[in-house]
Amino acid sequence: KTSYLKRILILLKNKRNFTKNKGILSPDSALALPVNSNNENRKGVLFVWRRDREKNLPDDALSKILKFLPENTGYQIIDNVLKRKFNLKNNKPAVKKQLEKISEAQIVITDRFHGLLFSIITNTPVIAFASFDTKVVAGIKWFSKLEHVHLVNSTEECCYLTKNYLRGKNVCNNNQHCETLYWRLYKELENAIY
């Protein structure tokens, strides 16, 4: 029994849950997903928006941002929670569909951790609001070196950044920071297992 316990490795997203003897810090295993982002044909704004009881933003936050969008700006509102249960047959296509949808957007505005993470994976500019829990605030710290990742505290700040991106602010097309995090995690896992 003891030998198995020594080989258990726990991946933790933030230091609040971290204990040196029982785990390693890692943003998320989703960083290992291979993605071809559609940078040339991006259009509009994609909101990956909470609709459940864990939302942290006031009810009028979304309407304030929508009113600010320039006329004729396309937008879509989705939630990355699927109504059906995942299984081996349907999880890959469902995740791939989410990644494709995010990679088609000019900018993503989200209050969900995986909305943030999938935007980072696809090199899509993202504006994130804090969530009810600590996932977004703790998670975004992993990506502080990426110029196209923003944590905002107000709808006004969000609108200002959105306007810049819709006017054509350059997007960082280099995902090397994510690759570095992935390989660091891979090495730590390899060392823990072998």
Side-chain angles (χ1 to χ4, degrees), residues 1-10 21-22 192-194:
K1 290 181 181 179
T2 309
S3 64
Y4 289 119
L5 290 176
K6 288 181 181 178
R7 296 182 71 171
I8 291 175
L9 181 65
I10 301 170
N21 298 332
K22 294 187 178 184
I193 294 170
Y194 301 110

Side-chain angles (χ1 to χ4, degrees), residues 97-137:
K97 185 177 177 181
Q98 286 285 80
L99 289 168
E100 286 173 357
K101 190 173 290 226
I102 287 173
S103 73
E104 293 168 356
Q106 204 170 343
I107 187 164
V108 169
I109 301 172
T110 190
D111 60 347
R112 287 197 162 278
F113 177 72
H114 282 90
L116 167 70
L117 191 65
F118 287 2
S119 298
I120 291 165
I121 291 169
T122 60
N123 286 316
T124 304
V126 61
I127 298 170
F129 288 92
S131 56
F132 176 73
D133 52 27
T134 61
K135 289 179 191 175
V136 172
V137 174

Side-chain angles (χ1 to χ4, degrees), residues 44-45 65-75 106 163 166:
V45 179
I65 299 167
L66 289 174
K67 285 179 187 175
F68 175 82
L69 292 179
E71 194 173 333
N72 299 323
T73 300
Y75 70 89
Q106 204 170 343
K163 181 170 58 175
L166 292 175

Side-chain angles (χ1 to χ4, degrees), residues 29-181:
S29 60
L31 284 174
L33 293 169
V35 177
N36 293 324
S37 55
N38 183 11
N39 289 332
E40 295 173 13
N41 299 316
R42 295 179 183 274
K43 291 184 182 167
V45 179
L46 180 65
F47 293 87
V48 182
W49 210 252
R50 279 193 173 281
R51 296 179 182 155
D52 59 18
R53 60 183 161 79
E54 292 184 15
K55 69 179 183 170
N56 195 38
L57 294 168
D59 291 335
D60 66 342
L62 181 60
S63 62
K64 282 182 181 179
I65 299 167
L66 289 174
K67 285 179 187 175
F68 175 82
L69 292 179
E71 194 173 333
N72 299 323
T73 300
Y75 70 89
Q76 189 175 7
I77 304 167
I78 65 169
D79 192 342
N80 63 357
V81 172
L82 301 177
K83 302 291 181 212
R84 57 185 157 74
K85 290 186 178 183
F86 267 15
N87 62 44
L88 290 176
K89 288 183 182 178
N90 72 11
N91 73 348
K92 279 187 179 180
V95 171
K96 184 179 179 186
K97 185 177 177 181
Q98 286 285 80
L99 289 168
E100 286 173 357
K101 190 173 290 226
I102 287 173
S103 73
E104 293 168 356
Q106 204 170 343
I107 187 164
V108 169
I109 301 172
T110 190
D111 60 347
R112 287 197 162 278
F113 177 72
H114 282 90
L116 167 70
L117 191 65
F118 287 2
S119 298
I120 291 165
I121 291 169
T122 60
N123 286 316
T124 304
V126 61
I127 298 170
F129 288 92
S131 56
F132 176 73
D133 52 27
T134 61
K135 289 179 191 175
V136 172
V137 174
I140 206 165
K141 290 177 184 175
W142 286 95
F143 309 102
S144 61
K145 293 181 181 178
L146 298 177
E147 295 175 3
H148 62 287
V149 177
H150 309 276
L151 178 65
V152 296
N153 296 312
S154 68
T155 55
E156 292 79 16
E157 195 177 355
C158 174
C159 292
Y160 173 79
L161 287 166
T162 301
K163 181 170 58 175
N164 284 334
Y165 280 105
L166 292 175
R167 287 183 177 167
K169 181 179 176 184
N170 290 336
V171 177
C172 176
N173 290 319
N174 181 353
N175 226 6
Q176 189 172 359
H177 182 65
C178 292
E179 289 176 23
T180 301
L181 288 171

